[in-house]
Amino acid sequence: MWGSKTTLAAVEKIRRSYQAICLYNDTVATGEGDRLAITNQALRDLSGCNGLLVRDWIEQHKDGVISHNAKFGMENKKDPSNPASYANKGKDTDKILLLINEEFLSGEGFKAGRN
């Protein structure tokens, strides 16, 4: 599936990437600045999918994305209802994404050549 370029495969890669980030935040992250907000950039990097597809997926799953980010205080305080405004500032996102990819996606995530 990770090698496929079809729209259905892309949606599934985004979904699995979302689930992997949620699982990481719920079980592995310590809260010492190592939790990862679910953002377009994070899902794009992990799934290897087009940002427009990711944007549409986030919009379709907005409530879950907002709920998960809010659970850990990672929403945008000025505009919590807009997941497009969320960011992972000051975090080593590459390191966290590599860990999530290895632990929860069997190393299958990322665009070719990233890991």
Side-chain angles (χ1 to χ4, degrees):
M1 181 221 33
W2 289 94
S4 175
K5 301 285 187 194
T6 69
T7 301
L8 288 177
V11 169
E12 180 63 13
K13 288 186 255 188
I14 296 165
R15 185 190 70 79
R16 288 186 189 186
S17 297
Y18 166 79
Q19 288 182 322
I21 293 171
C22 289
L23 193 56
Y24 165 80
N25 284 336
D26 289 338
T27 62
V28 174
T30 64
E32 303 293 325
D34 64 344
R35 285 206 172 90
L36 193 68
I38 297 165
T39 65
N40 185 297
Q41 184 68 50
L43 289 176
R44 199 166 65 227
D45 287 348
L46 198 53
S47 69
C49 294
N50 176 294
L52 297 175
L53 281 174
V54 173
R55 179 200 65 202
D56 292 346
W57 189 94
I58 288 174
E59 187 57 36
Q60 292 168 0
H61 300 86
K62 186 177 182 176
D63 291 343
V65 171
I66 290 170
S67 175
H68 182 80
N69 285 340
K71 176 167 59 169
F72 297 111
M74 296 184 294
E75 74 277 19
N76 179 341
K77 306 291 189 244
K78 292 180 181 174
D79 190 5
S81 67
N82 180 9
S85 69
Y86 297 179
N88 284 301
K89 294 179 182 170
K91 298 179 183 179
D92 189 350
T93 55
D94 284 343
K95 181 180 175 185
I96 295 169
L97 288 170
L98 283 170
L99 176 65
I100 292 170
N101 184 41
E102 291 302 316
E103 295 293 320
F104 300 105
L105 296 175
S106 304
E108 295 290 323
F110 286 123
K111 295 176 184 170
R114 174 89 189 257
N115 34 342

